[in-house]
Amino acid sequence: MSTIIDIKKVLSNLGIDTTNQGSSTGKNWLNSSGEEISSFSPVDGELLAKVVSADAATYEEVISQASEAFKSWTQVPAPKRGEIVRQIGEELRLHKEDLGSLVSYEMGKSYQEGLGEVQEMIDICDFAVGLSRQLYGLTMHSERPGHRMYEQYHPLGIVGIISAFNFPVAVWAWNTMLAWVCGDVCVWKPSEKTPITAVACQNIIQKVFERNSLPEGISGLLIGDYKIGELMTADKRVPLVSATGSIRMGKKVGEAVGKRLGRALLELGGNNAIIVTENADLEIALTAAVFGAVGTAGQRCTSTRRLIVHENIFDQVKQKLVNAYGQLRIGDPLDENNHVGPLIDQDAVKSYLTAIDKIKEEGGKIVIEGEVLSGDKYVSGCYVKPAIYEVENDFQIVQDETFAPILYLIKYTSVEEAIALQNDVPQGLSSAIMTTNMRESELFLSQAGSDCGIANVNIGTSGAEIGGAFGGEKETGGGRESGSDAWKVYMRRQTNTINYSKELPLAQGIKFDL
């Protein structure tokens, strides 16, 4: 077990009793007949804890509790709901180090990234508190005398949240905190690869609910595999399902929710590129590229997959990358001296190796060869070497997303060609251009430029601030979470017309005399 932290103490501080596995998951799990899920850390292969997954009966209980809780929660004024979220943010501040450590140990990302993920949760709480006083509608002038028109927003009801392992807590918070101030209740199905962090979050927020005499059903937790997700996506009692994960999973969710004419908020795969022009500041460009490619071991939806480099500086950039990769330290992510931690599990390692085989089959040239690392330092078998290959953009493997630290180098001649290459993949999440030339940057941000939901200049593809709406286009799903006006997806819009005159004039001057 990692010697950097006392994981048993961390779990105890977060209300997780590893001596009585499953009991910490809340009363909804005590009578479940579901299978036991064991969470093994990719850091060292050690068993972290066990939980009992939800079954169909448990699902019904959780949804029923959520439906009942919605009746009272929706009647709480929005600023008062914001006050509850403020208290949750304060509770997260108190548990930041423990929760950040658990995120790092269960998922495998660096300790600093684990802390950063919890900080994102705190930040979205702060954002949501202010939002609770700004759920604005619009007023319009009516064409009929003595009439007033306006729009307002009402909560939807139950919001189902399906989250992925790579951000085991932050993406849930992005959805939940906004949904709560909007008056919705939430039911969360976390990744079965990172269930313990979900239990820890539930323990933290339930303290706040109990102190404020609020029903447990405002926040439901359903740990399990895809079968729980299928129950949620088919359930008409869940008007909105927000799902983060692979494109394959997202298509299934979108189809199931669409069949019942529900709403789906989809945050799916990315195949993100950085364009490096002749006019780039190479120090900034290389820092962004390396962090984007190897941060979280390449397991972010915004990870940099492709580096599209001008032909005149291609060899120079390639050599600088080789030098930078030679300085990477791979190992226990809780050791802050290391840059790269493990992949999430053996299935991810297999995907990494399969991708490397396909790169070679399609004619990719080795810049830095990938391999699985072995030895006492890498006892879990989940550590791999960040790799770089020179490829063509139309290779099938390049068109697909591989959730691993593999970076593709692609050469271009004109900025128009570079933008076309950047756009010529099925996904459309994050993109960036490195340039000090205003014309290049403005072209990249124009209608003729990047087709992604996120387009950056002189910063990388990886990561995003909570103040802006997060999401992408094409097979990334079109969803938007976090900041800006993303809150509107968690509410239903209603147009209201009030007649305060003594007559009933009809619109467009229609006459209907009785």
Side-chain angles (χ1 to χ4, degrees), residues 97-300:
E97 290 188 6
D98 285 327
L99 188 54
S101 297
L102 179 56
V103 167
S104 179
Y105 189 63
E106 186 174 33
M107 185 268 149
K109 63 176 59 177
S110 73
Y111 177 58
Q112 288 301 317
E113 288 183 89
L115 291 177
E117 183 165 352
V118 180
Q119 186 60 49
E120 282 192 44
M121 301 174 75
I122 295 168
D123 291 344
I124 200 66
C125 285
D126 291 348
F127 180 90
V129 172
L131 178 65
S132 69
R133 296 179 182 271
Q134 301 178 73
L135 301 175
Y136 299 135
L138 296 170
T139 60
M140 289 78 70
H141 289 281
S142 172
E143 66 182 42
R144 293 168 288 190
H147 285 59
R148 180 167 68 89
M149 295 179 64
Y150 70 97
E151 288 182 347
Q152 61 178 332
Y153 288 84
H154 295 297
L156 290 171
I158 299 174
V159 173
I161 301 165
I162 300 172
S163 63
F165 73 86
N166 59 330
F167 280 86
V169 294
V171 173
W172 164 76
W174 287 1
N175 284 273
T176 302
M177 304 309 160
L178 297 193
W180 278 343
V181 297
C182 289
D184 299 312
V185 297
C186 297
V187 176
W188 181 20
K189 194 207 91 62
S191 170
E192 61 269 33
K193 297 182 180 183
T194 52
I196 310 305
T197 49
V199 174
C201 288
Q202 189 77 345
N203 290 342
I204 289 170
I205 61 179
Q206 286 301 336
K207 292 179 183 178
V208 177
F209 291 159
E210 290 170 6
R211 283 201 301 263
N212 290 273
S213 301
L214 291 169
E216 180 182 6
I218 295 171
S219 179
L221 181 61
L222 288 165
I223 293 175
D225 60 15
Y226 69 94
K227 296 175 184 176
I228 294 297
E230 288 178 345
L231 290 174
M232 184 183 291
T233 56
D235 195 337
K236 291 183 178 180
R237 295 169 295 179
V238 184
L240 171 65
V241 176
S242 175
T244 303
S246 68
I247 292 171
R248 180 182 58 82
M249 178 275 289
K251 287 181 177 180
K252 291 181 179 179
V253 170
E255 181 180 5
V257 176
K259 280 184 178 179
R260 58 180 176 86
L261 298 182
R263 299 188 194 182
L265 193 169
L266 301 176
E267 295 288 0
L268 311 176
N271 196 345
N272 317 295
I274 297 177
I275 297 171
V276 183
T277 78
E278 285 184 287
N279 301 299
D281 181 323
L282 290 188
E283 184 175 344
I284 291 176
L286 268 293
T287 300
V290 174
F291 175 73
V294 307
T296 326
Q299 295 173 111
R300 293 184 176 210

Side-chain angles (χ1 to χ4, degrees), residues 175-490:
N175 284 273
T176 302
M177 304 309 160
L178 297 193
W180 278 343
V181 297
C182 289
D184 299 312
V185 297
C186 297
V187 176
W188 181 20
K189 194 207 91 62
S191 170
E192 61 269 33
K193 297 182 180 183
T194 52
I196 310 305
T197 49
V199 174
C201 288
Q202 189 77 345
N203 290 342
I204 289 170
I205 61 179
Q206 286 301 336
K207 292 179 183 178
V208 177
F209 291 159
E210 290 170 6
R211 283 201 301 263
N212 290 273
S213 301
L214 291 169
E216 180 182 6
I218 295 171
S219 179
L221 181 61
L222 288 165
I223 293 175
D225 60 15
Y226 69 94
K227 296 175 184 176
I228 294 297
E230 288 178 345
L231 290 174
M232 184 183 291
T233 56
D235 195 337
K236 291 183 178 180
R237 295 169 295 179
V238 184
L240 171 65
V241 176
S242 175
T244 303
S246 68
I247 292 171
R248 180 182 58 82
M249 178 275 289
K251 287 181 177 180
K252 291 181 179 179
V253 170
E255 181 180 5
V257 176
K259 280 184 178 179
R260 58 180 176 86
L261 298 182
R263 299 188 194 182
L265 193 169
L266 301 176
E267 295 288 0
L268 311 176
N271 196 345
N272 317 295
I274 297 177
I275 297 171
V276 183
T277 78
E278 285 184 287
N279 301 299
D281 181 323
L282 290 188
E283 184 175 344
I284 291 176
L286 268 293
T287 300
V290 174
F291 175 73
V294 307
T296 326
Q299 295 173 111
R300 293 184 176 210
C301 53
T302 55
S303 289
T304 304
R305 311 286 177 202
R306 298 174 294 144
L307 200 62
I308 303 172
V309 185
H310 193 278
E311 61 182 0
N312 290 346
I313 57 171
F314 187 85
D315 290 337
Q316 181 185 4
V317 169
K318 181 165 65 173
Q319 186 57 54
K320 285 181 177 292
L321 281 171
V322 171
N323 294 340
Y325 271 52
Q327 301 172 50
L328 293 176
R329 292 184 294 273
I330 306 167
D332 187 338
L334 288 139
D335 183 344
E336 295 182 55
N337 292 314
N338 292 325
H339 299 110
V340 184
L343 294 176
I344 185 64
D345 56 21
Q346 291 297 320
D347 287 340
V349 173
K350 290 177 184 176
S351 294
Y352 163 86
L353 293 173
T354 298
I356 290 174
D357 288 341
K358 290 182 178 178
I359 293 166
K360 295 174 181 178
E361 288 172 9
E362 293 193 66
K365 299 176 183 178
I366 299 170
V367 178
I368 294 178
E369 177 71 298
E371 63 176 318
V372 179
L373 302 175
S374 59
D376 293 341
K377 188 178 177 182
Y378 311 115
V379 64
S380 70
C382 295
Y383 291 86
V384 300
K385 184 178 179 181
I388 303 176
Y389 296 90
E390 189 176 335
V391 300
E392 297 296 330
N393 198 69
D394 60 359
F395 286 4
Q396 183 57 54
I397 187 61
V398 177
Q399 293 287 307
D400 298 332
E401 179 189 38
T402 301
F403 235 46
I406 300 175
L407 180 64
Y408 301 123
L409 292 187
I410 301 166
K411 189 181 296 184
Y412 80 91
T413 56
S414 70
V415 68
E416 290 81 8
E417 179 194 4
I419 292 172
L421 289 169
Q422 126 72 46
N423 291 344
D424 190 22
V425 291
Q427 311 85 354
L429 179 52
S430 187
S431 59
I433 190 169
M434 298 293 167
T435 181
T436 56
N437 182 293
M438 183 186 72
R439 289 177 176 173
E440 289 178 334
S441 63
E442 290 298 322
L443 177 62
F444 181 73
L445 299 177
S446 74
Q447 173 62 27
S450 171
D451 64 1
C452 294
I454 299 169
N456 298 325
V457 176
N458 293 328
I459 65 170
T461 64
S462 187
E465 294 185 38
I466 61 97
F470 178 90
E473 300 300 322
K474 301 189 293 189
E475 289 192 358
T476 301
R480 292 297 184 275
E481 295 172 332
S482 192
S484 185
D485 65 350
W487 62 271
K488 292 180 179 179
V489 75
Y490 305 97

